[in-house]
Amino acid sequence: MMSMLEFKNISKSYCMKETIMAPSKSVKVVNNISLKLERGKCLGIFGRSGSGKSTLGRIIAGIEQPDCGELLFNGINMLAKTNRNNKGIRRNIGLMFQDCYSSVNPRFTTKDIVAEPLLNYEKCSSAELTKRVEKLLEVVNLSSDIMGKYPHEISGGQLQRVCIARAIALKPQLIILDEAVSSLDVLVQMQIMDLLIQLQKEFGLSYLFISHDLQTIGKLAHEIAVMDQGQIVETLQDVHALHRLSHPASRLLFDSVLPMHPGGRKKFGCFNRLELSLIMIVNYFIFSNHLVVLIT
Ligand SMILES: Nc1ncnc2c1ncn2[C@@H]1O[C@H](COP(=O)(O)OP(=O)(O)O)[C@@H](O)[C@H]1O
Ligand SMILES: [Mg+2]
């Protein structure tokens, strides 16, 4: 059966400029990645900061071109010259990024933000536009009173909902969520995750959920791919068994999650010599005046 999204051997290099310390060189940020995503499912991309997750997301969103590889959306090659700017295909992919405040125009009201994709892709009368924005806000559990407000006049959680409304405005099949809930406090994070799950069930949406946070990925994803230094180092089909992640890069992030109970925290005996020395050095600086000297 044909997958909704399939990418094969995607690679992308960036040229790092020459500095005093190092000559210019080409760095492979995404290295030969192949993955599949089925309709109505969520694929989680997990990895530490700088592992290339966002670059991969931007390639799939069509914001960036890979050096090589194939990107198939419902069997259509998105990288073919004729399809690159094809609005009919592109409208099926919605986007949402971590920092909602920087991904919206501060001079736009909530209504303008949600209406933007509708104005870009569809011809609607003014009355119809208002109605559709109202409906979209209702879907994300926001009242229509918010329509005249500016981003700085609403809370972070509300703005996140506005961005979800914008992302689903054109009824896309796929939404790319790049660290979409990472900047929110835990309570709002949970509310937004529940909303995403509800929307997925209601509209059969597929998500590409990019995050460095294993807990949020575990809640939403059906399958997890771990990225490290531009490569997929392991995949996990059963998200209820996160403890089975075995690659050192996965373990590092997994072990850094604080347990619910303080008693479950790492004991000193669990640290190796290098870790212990580092802890001692940090402690020394914190409890001596050296820190003040270092900062000033
Ligand atoms: N436009 C760019 N030009 C040069 N280097 C880039 C660019 N975008 C990302 N990088 C580099 O690529 C690496 C991966 O970045 P990114 O995809 O943002 O990782 P992640 O989202 O996993 O934190 C980083 O080392 C980053 O500095
Ligand atoms: Mg990123």
Side-chain angles (χ1 to χ4, degrees):
M1 203 185 79
M2 187 173 67
S3 299
M4 190 199 69
L5 177 73
E6 185 172 2
F7 37 105
K8 297 179 194 163
N9 312 106
I10 296 271
S11 291
K12 173 86 188 169
S13 302
Y14 285 121
C15 183
M16 301 292 174
K17 286 208 179 97
E18 189 179 330
T19 62
I20 305 169
M21 306 294 283
S24 74
K25 60 175 176 185
S26 169
V27 178
K28 229 175 196 173
V29 174
V30 171
N31 192 354
N32 203 22
I33 289 190
S34 305
L35 284 170
K36 279 182 188 178
L37 172 59
E38 305 300 336
R39 186 178 297 268
K41 299 278 179 206
C42 173
L43 172 65
I45 308 275
F46 171 62
R48 58 180 137 180
S49 185
S51 55
K53 308 183 294 297
S54 295
T55 307
L56 183 65
R58 285 200 300 273
I59 290 171
I60 295 161
I63 298 169
E64 219 142 346
Q65 292 297 316
D67 301 335
C68 60
E70 250 180 81
L71 179 61
L72 302 171
F73 188 70
N74 292 323
I76 298 167
N77 183 5
M78 305 279 282
L79 299 176
K81 275 209 175 87
T82 45
N83 292 337
R84 269 184 208 170
N85 298 315
N86 187 329
K87 282 187 155 189
I89 306 173
R90 287 275 164 230
R91 64 174 288 163
N92 280 314
I93 303 180
L95 300 172
M96 218 178 127
F97 296 104
Q98 171 169 20
D99 186 1
C100 271
Y101 284 102
S102 63
S103 71
V104 297
N105 187 335
R107 292 200 187 93
F108 273 18
T109 62
T110 301
K111 184 187 168 191
D112 300 333
I113 295 168
V114 180
E116 198 184 12
L118 296 170
L119 287 171
N120 282 342
Y121 282 86
E122 286 175 16
K123 285 196 179 89
C124 318
S125 68
S126 166
E128 198 186 330
L129 196 69
T130 310
K131 228 167 150 189
R132 286 186 69 176
V133 172
E134 256 170 17
K135 182 86 192 95
L136 283 162
L137 290 175
E138 193 188 311
V139 170
V140 296
N141 303 327
L142 286 174
S143 103
S144 54
D145 305 343
I146 215 172
M147 287 216 290
K149 294 200 171 155
Y150 289 91
H152 68 274
E153 294 174 327
I154 59 178
S155 75
Q158 282 174 324
L159 188 62
Q160 209 79 7
R161 285 171 194 269
V162 169
C163 288
I164 295 179
R166 176 177 64 176
I168 61 172
L170 296 166
K171 302 197 177 77
Q173 294 175 20
L174 168 71
I175 300 187
I176 300 172
L177 300 133
D178 188 357
E179 307 276 7
V181 295
S182 302
S183 63
L184 301 170
D185 69 63
V186 181
L187 200 67
V188 182
Q189 212 174 51
M190 287 301 149
Q191 288 167 356
I192 299 287
M193 301 288 287
D194 287 340
L195 175 65
L196 290 172
I197 292 170
Q198 180 205 324
L199 292 176
Q200 181 165 49
K201 281 192 194 135
E202 214 166 304
F203 302 111
L205 288 170
S206 306
Y207 295 136
L208 188 82
F209 191 84
I210 298 171
S211 181
H212 67 277
D213 179 3
L214 202 52
Q215 270 166 344
T216 50
I217 283 208
K219 195 162 161 29
L220 206 67
H222 297 98
E223 190 180 338
I224 294 177
V226 182
M227 232 178 132
D228 193 44
Q229 295 180 0
Q231 284 175 310
I232 300 293
V233 290
E234 75 181 311
T235 53
L236 190 73
Q237 313 280 340
D238 178 11
V239 288
H240 300 295
L242 291 175
H243 58 276
R244 285 208 202 122
L245 289 171
S246 58
H247 190 271
S250 326
R251 291 302 323 168
L252 198 72
L253 283 164
F254 187 78
D255 291 340
S256 64
V257 177
L258 278 180
M260 295 299 276
H261 192 271
R265 283 185 196 152
K266 254 189 172 186
K267 301 278 183 315
F268 270 105
C270 303
F271 293 108
N272 64 29
R273 273 184 173 201
L274 180 68
E275 285 172 330
L276 259 182
S277 327
L278 283 171
I279 290 167
M280 303 283 263
I281 292 169
V282 171
N283 252 341
Y284 171 71
F285 279 120
I286 288 175
F287 292 110
S288 69
N289 292 332
H290 284 78
L291 189 65
V292 183
V293 176
L294 274 178
I295 290 169
T296 52

